[in-house]
PDB file of all heavy atoms in Angstrom:
ATOM      1  N   GLN A 116      18.106   2.638  -4.186  1.00 92.00           N
ATOM      2  CA  GLN A 116      19.001   3.682  -3.540  1.00 92.00           C
ATOM      3  C   GLN A 116      20.236   4.002  -4.526  1.00 92.00           C
ATOM      4  O   GLN A 116      20.664   5.183  -4.374  1.00 92.00           O
ATOM      5  CB  GLN A 116      19.371   3.347  -2.185  1.00 92.00           C
ATOM      6  CG  GLN A 116      18.218   3.086  -1.181  1.00 92.00           C
ATOM      7  CD  GLN A 116      18.623   2.542   0.108  1.00 92.00           C
ATOM      8  OE1 GLN A 116      19.717   2.186   0.409  1.00 92.00           O
ATOM      9  NE2 GLN A 116      17.608   2.249   0.925  1.00 92.00           N
ATOM     10  N   VAL A 117      20.681   2.943  -4.996  1.00 95.00           N
ATOM     11  CA  VAL A 117      21.904   3.063  -5.997  1.00 95.00           C
ATOM     12  C   VAL A 117      21.536   3.911  -7.200  1.00 95.00           C
ATOM     13  O   VAL A 117      22.205   4.891  -7.424  1.00 95.00           O
ATOM     14  CB  VAL A 117      22.401   1.810  -6.457  1.00 95.00           C
ATOM     15  CG1 VAL A 117      23.407   1.909  -7.543  1.00 95.00           C
ATOM     16  CG2 VAL A 117      22.938   1.061  -5.270  1.00 95.00           C
ATOM     17  N   MET A 118      20.338   3.746  -7.700  1.00 95.00           N
ATOM     18  CA  MET A 118      19.840   4.710  -8.742  1.00 95.00           C
ATOM     19  C   MET A 118      19.558   6.106  -8.318  1.00 95.00           C
ATOM     20  O   MET A 118      19.839   7.131  -9.065  1.00 95.00           O
ATOM     21  CB  MET A 118      18.582   4.046  -9.286  1.00 95.00           C
ATOM     22  CG  MET A 118      18.827   2.820 -10.318  1.00 95.00           C
ATOM     23  SD  MET A 118      20.083   3.070 -11.493  1.00 95.00           S
ATOM     24  CE  MET A 118      19.207   4.248 -12.473  1.00 95.00           C
ATOM     25  N   PHE A 119      19.100   6.200  -6.944  1.00 94.00           N
ATOM     26  CA  PHE A 119      18.884   7.527  -6.466  1.00 94.00           C
ATOM     27  C   PHE A 119      20.313   8.247  -6.429  1.00 94.00           C
ATOM     28  O   PHE A 119      20.374   9.551  -6.768  1.00 94.00           O
ATOM     29  CB  PHE A 119      18.361   7.463  -5.111  1.00 94.00           C
ATOM     30  CG  PHE A 119      18.339   8.787  -4.330  1.00 94.00           C
ATOM     31  CD1 PHE A 119      17.377   9.754  -4.763  1.00 94.00           C
ATOM     32  CD2 PHE A 119      19.169   9.059  -3.385  1.00 94.00           C
ATOM     33  CE1 PHE A 119      17.271  10.897  -4.056  1.00 94.00           C
ATOM     34  CE2 PHE A 119      19.120  10.412  -2.741  1.00 94.00           C
ATOM     35  CZ  PHE A 119      18.197  11.232  -3.020  1.00 94.00           C
ATOM     36  N   MET A 120      21.409   7.686  -6.085  1.00 96.00           N
ATOM     37  CA  MET A 120      22.697   8.291  -5.943  1.00 96.00           C
ATOM     38  C   MET A 120      23.088   8.644  -7.430  1.00 96.00           C
ATOM     39  O   MET A 120      23.704   9.751  -7.564  1.00 96.00           O
ATOM     40  CB  MET A 120      23.684   7.351  -5.458  1.00 96.00           C
ATOM     41  CG  MET A 120      23.352   7.127  -3.903  1.00 96.00           C
ATOM     42  SD  MET A 120      23.308   8.453  -2.995  1.00 96.00           S
ATOM     43  CE  MET A 120      25.052   9.134  -2.938  1.00 96.00           C
ATOM     44  N   PHE A 121      22.809   7.901  -8.415  1.00 96.00           N
ATOM     45  CA  PHE A 121      23.192   8.246  -9.865  1.00 96.00           C
ATOM     46  C   PHE A 121      22.389   9.438 -10.248  1.00 96.00           C
ATOM     47  O   PHE A 121      23.001  10.360 -10.832  1.00 96.00           O
ATOM     48  CB  PHE A 121      22.981   7.069 -10.853  1.00 96.00           C
ATOM     49  CG  PHE A 121      24.006   6.073 -10.742  1.00 96.00           C
ATOM     50  CD1 PHE A 121      23.616   4.608 -10.655  1.00 96.00           C
ATOM     51  CD2 PHE A 121      25.360   6.328 -10.734  1.00 96.00           C
ATOM     52  CE1 PHE A 121      24.558   3.610 -10.587  1.00 96.00           C
ATOM     53  CE2 PHE A 121      26.341   5.355 -10.591  1.00 96.00           C
ATOM     54  CZ  PHE A 121      26.010   4.069 -10.588  1.00 96.00           C
ATOM     55  N   ILE A 122      21.056   9.387  -9.928  1.00 95.00           N
ATOM     56  CA  ILE A 122      20.197  10.540 -10.351  1.00 95.00           C
ATOM     57  C   ILE A 122      20.664  11.759  -9.595  1.00 95.00           C
ATOM     58  O   ILE A 122      20.724  12.935 -10.283  1.00 95.00           O
ATOM     59  CB  ILE A 122      18.736  10.228 -10.175  1.00 95.00           C
ATOM     60  CG1 ILE A 122      18.340   9.117 -11.058  1.00 95.00           C
ATOM     61  CG2 ILE A 122      17.882  11.439 -10.294  1.00 95.00           C
ATOM     62  CD1 ILE A 122      17.001   8.607 -10.790  1.00 95.00           C
ATOM     63  N   LEU A 123      21.015  11.742  -8.279  1.00 94.00           N
ATOM     64  CA  LEU A 123      21.470  12.897  -7.561  1.00 94.00           C
ATOM     65  C   LEU A 123      22.754  13.407  -8.241  1.00 94.00           C
ATOM     66  O   LEU A 123      22.919  14.656  -8.331  1.00 94.00           O
ATOM     67  CB  LEU A 123      21.680  12.377  -6.105  1.00 94.00           C
ATOM     68  CG  LEU A 123      21.856  13.467  -5.086  1.00 94.00           C
ATOM     69  CD1 LEU A 123      20.729  14.306  -4.945  1.00 94.00           C
ATOM     70  CD2 LEU A 123      22.318  12.803  -3.797  1.00 94.00           C
ATOM     71  N   THR A 124      23.693  12.635  -8.558  1.00 95.00           N
ATOM     72  CA  THR A 124      24.905  13.038  -9.245  1.00 95.00           C
ATOM     73  C   THR A 124      24.642  13.714 -10.532  1.00 95.00           C
ATOM     74  O   THR A 124      25.201  14.792 -10.995  1.00 95.00           O
ATOM     75  CB  THR A 124      25.885  11.832  -9.372  1.00 95.00           C
ATOM     76  OG1 THR A 124      26.086  11.077  -8.195  1.00 95.00           O
ATOM     77  CG2 THR A 124      27.146  12.317 -10.042  1.00 95.00           C
ATOM     78  N   LEU A 125      23.705  13.118 -11.357  1.00 94.00           N
ATOM     79  CA  LEU A 125      23.304  13.638 -12.665  1.00 94.00           C
ATOM     80  C   LEU A 125      22.517  15.014 -12.402  1.00 94.00           C
ATOM     81  O   LEU A 125      22.949  15.852 -13.240  1.00 94.00           O
ATOM     82  CB  LEU A 125      22.289  12.704 -13.354  1.00 94.00           C
ATOM     83  CG  LEU A 125      21.758  13.221 -14.654  1.00 94.00           C
ATOM     84  CD1 LEU A 125      22.794  13.164 -15.717  1.00 94.00           C
ATOM     85  CD2 LEU A 125      20.555  12.416 -15.089  1.00 94.00           C
ATOM     86  N   ALA A 126      21.793  15.126 -11.475  1.00 94.00           N
ATOM     87  CA  ALA A 126      21.119  16.415 -11.269  1.00 94.00           C
ATOM     88  C   ALA A 126      22.105  17.515 -10.763  1.00 94.00           C
ATOM     89  O   ALA A 126      21.945  18.648 -11.209  1.00 94.00           O
ATOM     90  CB  ALA A 126      20.055  16.226 -10.075  1.00 94.00           C
ATOM     91  N   ALA A 127      23.097  17.189 -10.091  1.00 94.00           N
ATOM     92  CA  ALA A 127      24.146  18.195  -9.670  1.00 94.00           C
ATOM     93  C   ALA A 127      25.003  18.660 -10.833  1.00 94.00           C
ATOM     94  O   ALA A 127      25.240  19.785 -10.946  1.00 94.00           O
ATOM     95  CB  ALA A 127      25.084  17.526  -8.516  1.00 94.00           C
ATOM     96  N   ALA A 128      25.221  17.684 -11.763  1.00 95.00           N
ATOM     97  CA  ALA A 128      25.987  18.057 -12.843  1.00 95.00           C
ATOM     98  C   ALA A 128      25.214  18.825 -13.897  1.00 95.00           C
ATOM     99  O   ALA A 128      25.698  19.741 -14.541  1.00 95.00           O
ATOM    100  CB  ALA A 128      26.451  16.761 -13.489  1.00 95.00           C
ATOM    101  N   GLU A 129      23.939  18.505 -14.020  1.00 93.00           N
ATOM    102  CA  GLU A 129      22.969  19.223 -14.939  1.00 93.00           C
ATOM    103  C   GLU A 129      22.908  20.627 -14.319  1.00 93.00           C
ATOM    104  O   GLU A 129      22.812  21.595 -15.033  1.00 93.00           O
ATOM    105  CB  GLU A 129      21.692  18.482 -14.928  1.00 93.00           C
ATOM    106  CG  GLU A 129      20.724  19.076 -15.881  1.00 93.00           C
ATOM    107  CD  GLU A 129      19.592  19.854 -15.016  1.00 93.00           C
ATOM    108  OE1 GLU A 129      19.425  19.450 -13.844  1.00 93.00           O
ATOM    109  OE2 GLU A 129      19.013  20.770 -15.607  1.00 93.00           O
ATOM    110  N   VAL A 130      22.784  20.852 -13.024  1.00 93.00           N
ATOM    111  CA  VAL A 130      22.515  22.233 -12.478  1.00 93.00           C
ATOM    112  C   VAL A 130      23.773  22.957 -12.789  1.00 93.00           C
ATOM    113  O   VAL A 130      23.622  24.191 -13.239  1.00 93.00           O
ATOM    114  CB  VAL A 130      22.197  22.199 -10.942  1.00 93.00           C
ATOM    115  CG1 VAL A 130      22.337  23.530 -10.407  1.00 93.00           C
ATOM    116  CG2 VAL A 130      20.767  21.583 -10.896  1.00 93.00           C
ATOM    117  N   SER A 131      24.947  22.464 -12.597  1.00 94.00           N
ATOM    118  CA  SER A 131      26.120  23.254 -12.742  1.00 94.00           C
ATOM    119  C   SER A 131      26.371  23.716 -14.129  1.00 94.00           C
ATOM    120  O   SER A 131      26.641  24.934 -14.408  1.00 94.00           O
ATOM    121  CB  SER A 131      27.400  22.569 -12.202  1.00 94.00           C
ATOM    122  OG  SER A 131      27.639  21.433 -12.929  1.00 94.00           O
ATOM    123  N   VAL A 132      26.159  22.863 -15.138  1.00 95.00           N
ATOM    124  CA  VAL A 132      26.182  23.150 -16.570  1.00 95.00           C
ATOM    125  C   VAL A 132      25.128  24.104 -16.928  1.00 95.00           C
ATOM    126  O   VAL A 132      25.455  25.131 -17.582  1.00 95.00           O
ATOM    127  CB  VAL A 132      26.329  21.916 -17.292  1.00 95.00           C
ATOM    128  CG1 VAL A 132      26.354  22.239 -18.865  1.00 95.00           C
ATOM    129  CG2 VAL A 132      27.554  20.999 -17.149  1.00 95.00           C
ATOM    130  N   ALA A 133      24.006  23.695 -16.503  1.00 94.00           N
ATOM    131  CA  ALA A 133      22.783  24.609 -17.006  1.00 94.00           C
ATOM    132  C   ALA A 133      22.784  26.029 -16.485  1.00 94.00           C
ATOM    133  O   ALA A 133      22.511  26.957 -17.147  1.00 94.00           O
ATOM    134  CB  ALA A 133      21.577  23.984 -16.632  1.00 94.00           C
ATOM    135  N   LEU A 134      23.192  26.199 -15.267  1.00 93.00           N
ATOM    136  CA  LEU A 134      23.434  27.501 -14.703  1.00 93.00           C
ATOM    137  C   LEU A 134      24.497  28.342 -15.347  1.00 93.00           C
ATOM    138  O   LEU A 134      24.331  29.519 -15.650  1.00 93.00           O
ATOM    139  CB  LEU A 134      23.513  27.579 -13.172  1.00 93.00           C
ATOM    140  CG  LEU A 134      22.329  27.120 -12.385  1.00 93.00           C
ATOM    141  CD1 LEU A 134      22.663  27.095 -10.874  1.00 93.00           C
ATOM    142  CD2 LEU A 134      21.253  28.210 -12.637  1.00 93.00           C
ATOM    143  N   GLY A 135      25.638  27.695 -15.788  1.00 94.00           N
ATOM    144  CA  GLY A 135      26.533  28.387 -16.602  1.00 94.00           C
ATOM    145  C   GLY A 135      26.070  28.915 -17.805  1.00 94.00           C
ATOM    146  O   GLY A 135      26.351  29.998 -18.380  1.00 94.00           O
ATOM    147  N   ILE A 136      25.328  28.043 -18.533  1.00 92.00           N
ATOM    148  CA  ILE A 136      24.674  28.396 -19.795  1.00 92.00           C
ATOM    149  C   ILE A 136      23.531  29.544 -19.542  1.00 92.00           C
ATOM    150  O   ILE A 136      23.570  30.414 -20.394  1.00 92.00           O
ATOM    151  CB  ILE A 136      24.046  27.102 -20.466  1.00 92.00           C
ATOM    152  CG1 ILE A 136      25.071  26.142 -20.877  1.00 92.00           C
ATOM    153  CG2 ILE A 136      23.131  27.536 -21.673  1.00 92.00           C
ATOM    154  CD1 ILE A 136      24.672  24.787 -21.325  1.00 92.00           C
ATOM    155  N   VAL A 137      22.837  29.416 -18.624  1.00 93.00           N
ATOM    156  CA  VAL A 137      21.799  30.465 -18.263  1.00 93.00           C
ATOM    157  C   VAL A 137      22.474  31.778 -18.023  1.00 93.00           C
ATOM    158  O   VAL A 137      22.065  32.824 -18.574  1.00 93.00           O
ATOM    159  CB  VAL A 137      20.982  30.119 -17.047  1.00 93.00           C
ATOM    160  CG1 VAL A 137      20.180  31.248 -16.495  1.00 93.00           C
ATOM    161  CG2 VAL A 137      19.933  28.956 -17.465  1.00 93.00           C
ATOM    162  N   LEU A 138      23.502  31.757 -17.299  1.00 93.00           N
ATOM    163  CA  LEU A 138      24.290  33.024 -17.039  1.00 93.00           C
ATOM    164  C   LEU A 138      24.829  33.778 -18.417  1.00 93.00           C
ATOM    165  O   LEU A 138      24.712  34.819 -18.537  1.00 93.00           O
ATOM    166  CB  LEU A 138      25.432  32.901 -16.139  1.00 93.00           C
ATOM    167  CG  LEU A 138      25.078  32.588 -14.676  1.00 93.00           C
ATOM    168  CD1 LEU A 138      26.130  32.271 -13.824  1.00 93.00           C
ATOM    169  CD2 LEU A 138      24.267  33.857 -14.157  1.00 93.00           C
ATOM    170  N   GLN A 139      25.202  32.931 -19.208  1.00 93.00           N
ATOM    171  CA  GLN A 139      25.770  33.275 -20.553  1.00 93.00           C
ATOM    172  C   GLN A 139      24.763  33.893 -21.390  1.00 93.00           C
ATOM    173  O   GLN A 139      24.820  34.876 -22.050  1.00 93.00           O
ATOM    174  CB  GLN A 139      26.578  32.170 -21.309  1.00 93.00           C
ATOM    175  CG  GLN A 139      27.949  31.965 -20.819  1.00 93.00           C
ATOM    176  CD  GLN A 139      28.850  33.106 -20.895  1.00 93.00           C
ATOM    177  OE1 GLN A 139      29.016  33.851 -22.030  1.00 93.00           O
ATOM    178  NE2 GLN A 139      29.589  33.450 -19.954  1.00 93.00           N
ATOM    179  N   ILE A 140      23.544  33.194 -21.434  1.00 90.00           N
ATOM    180  CA  ILE A 140      22.389  33.592 -22.205  1.00 90.00           C
ATOM    181  C   ILE A 140      21.806  34.988 -21.598  1.00 90.00           C
ATOM    182  O   ILE A 140      21.562  35.829 -22.308  1.00 90.00           O
ATOM    183  CB  ILE A 140      21.379  32.488 -22.250  1.00 90.00           C
ATOM    184  CG1 ILE A 140      21.699  31.367 -23.181  1.00 90.00           C
ATOM    185  CG2 ILE A 140      20.083  33.148 -22.701  1.00 90.00           C
ATOM    186  CD1 ILE A 140      20.832  30.154 -23.000  1.00 90.00           C
ATOM    187  N   SER A 141      21.912  35.060 -20.328  1.00 91.00           N
ATOM    188  CA  SER A 141      21.397  36.238 -19.678  1.00 91.00           C
ATOM    189  C   SER A 141      22.364  37.445 -19.998  1.00 91.00           C
ATOM    190  O   SER A 141      21.788  38.547 -20.339  1.00 91.00           O
ATOM    191  CB  SER A 141      21.211  36.031 -18.305  1.00 91.00           C
ATOM    192  OG  SER A 141      20.923  37.229 -17.479  1.00 91.00           O
ATOM    193  N   TYR A 142      23.555  37.064 -20.054  1.00 92.00           N
ATOM    194  CA  TYR A 142      24.607  38.253 -20.184  1.00 92.00           C
ATOM    195  C   TYR A 142      24.435  38.695 -21.824  1.00 92.00           C
ATOM    196  O   TYR A 142      24.466  39.831 -22.104  1.00 92.00           O
ATOM    197  CB  TYR A 142      25.904  37.685 -20.025  1.00 92.00           C
ATOM    198  CG  TYR A 142      27.043  38.731 -20.351  1.00 92.00           C
ATOM    199  CD1 TYR A 142      27.201  39.870 -19.498  1.00 92.00           C
ATOM    200  CD2 TYR A 142      27.862  38.475 -21.388  1.00 92.00           C
ATOM    201  CE1 TYR A 142      28.304  40.703 -19.763  1.00 92.00           C
ATOM    202  CE2 TYR A 142      28.841  39.446 -21.667  1.00 92.00           C
ATOM    203  CZ  TYR A 142      29.114  40.461 -20.881  1.00 92.00           C
ATOM    204  OH  TYR A 142      30.038  41.354 -21.124  1.00 92.00           O
ATOM    205  N   ARG A 143      24.175  37.702 -22.728  1.00 89.00           N
ATOM    206  CA  ARG A 143      24.359  38.094 -24.095  1.00 89.00           C
ATOM    207  C   ARG A 143      22.925  38.727 -24.544  1.00 89.00           C
ATOM    208  O   ARG A 143      22.873  39.618 -25.404  1.00 89.00           O
ATOM    209  CB  ARG A 143      24.699  36.863 -24.945  1.00 89.00           C
ATOM    210  CG  ARG A 143      25.970  36.485 -24.839  1.00 89.00           C
ATOM    211  CD  ARG A 143      26.507  35.362 -25.757  1.00 89.00           C
ATOM    212  NE  ARG A 143      27.799  34.990 -25.563  1.00 89.00           N
ATOM    213  CZ  ARG A 143      28.414  33.950 -26.121  1.00 89.00           C
ATOM    214  NH1 ARG A 143      27.737  33.241 -27.005  1.00 89.00           N
ATOM    215  NH2 ARG A 143      29.586  33.646 -25.918  1.00 89.00           N
ATOM    216  N   PHE A 144      21.824  38.078 -24.119  1.00 87.00           N
ATOM    217  CA  PHE A 144      20.526  38.448 -24.804  1.00 87.00           C
ATOM    218  C   PHE A 144      19.721  39.300 -23.850  1.00 87.00           C
ATOM    219  O   PHE A 144      18.601  39.903 -24.057  1.00 87.00           O
ATOM    220  CB  PHE A 144      19.710  37.278 -25.079  1.00 87.00           C
ATOM    221  CG  PHE A 144      20.448  36.434 -26.163  1.00 87.00           C
ATOM    222  CD1 PHE A 144      21.103  35.253 -25.851  1.00 87.00           C
ATOM    223  CD2 PHE A 144      20.281  36.793 -27.419  1.00 87.00           C
ATOM    224  CE1 PHE A 144      21.625  34.506 -26.827  1.00 87.00           C
ATOM    225  CE2 PHE A 144      20.803  36.035 -28.490  1.00 87.00           C
ATOM    226  CZ  PHE A 144      21.573  34.975 -28.189  1.00 87.00           C
ATOM    227  N   ASN A 145      20.166  39.428 -22.592  1.00 90.00           N
ATOM    228  CA  ASN A 145      19.386  40.291 -21.547  1.00 90.00           C
ATOM    229  C   ASN A 145      17.913  39.815 -21.254  1.00 90.00           C
ATOM    230  O   ASN A 145      17.105  40.548 -20.924  1.00 90.00           O
ATOM    231  CB  ASN A 145      19.456  41.791 -21.893  1.00 90.00           C
ATOM    232  CG  ASN A 145      20.795  42.475 -21.662  1.00 90.00           C
ATOM    233  OD1 ASN A 145      21.576  42.003 -21.009  1.00 90.00           O
ATOM    234  ND2 ASN A 145      20.940  43.335 -22.658  1.00 90.00           N
ATOM    235  N   THR A 146      17.746  38.603 -21.612  1.00 89.00           N
ATOM    236  CA  THR A 146      16.436  37.948 -21.219  1.00 89.00           C
ATOM    237  C   THR A 146      16.622  36.453 -20.971  1.00 89.00           C
ATOM    238  O   THR A 146      17.715  35.856 -21.485  1.00 89.00           O
ATOM    239  CB  THR A 146      15.423  38.091 -22.389  1.00 89.00           C
ATOM    240  OG1 THR A 146      14.109  37.549 -22.107  1.00 89.00           O
ATOM    241  CG2 THR A 146      16.073  37.488 -23.666  1.00 89.00           C
TER     242      THR A 146
END
Side-chain angles (χ1 to χ4, degrees):
Q116 295 172 5
V117 171
M118 287 305 296
F119 172 74
M120 295 304 290
F121 284 134
I122 291 173
L123 193 65
T124 306
L125 176 75
E129 181 255 335
V130 164
S131 64
V132 170
L134 284 179
I136 293 171
V137 165
L138 286 174
Q139 285 295 317
I140 288 172
S141 173
Y142 177 73
R143 288 186 184 176
F144 296 101
N145 292 327
T146 184

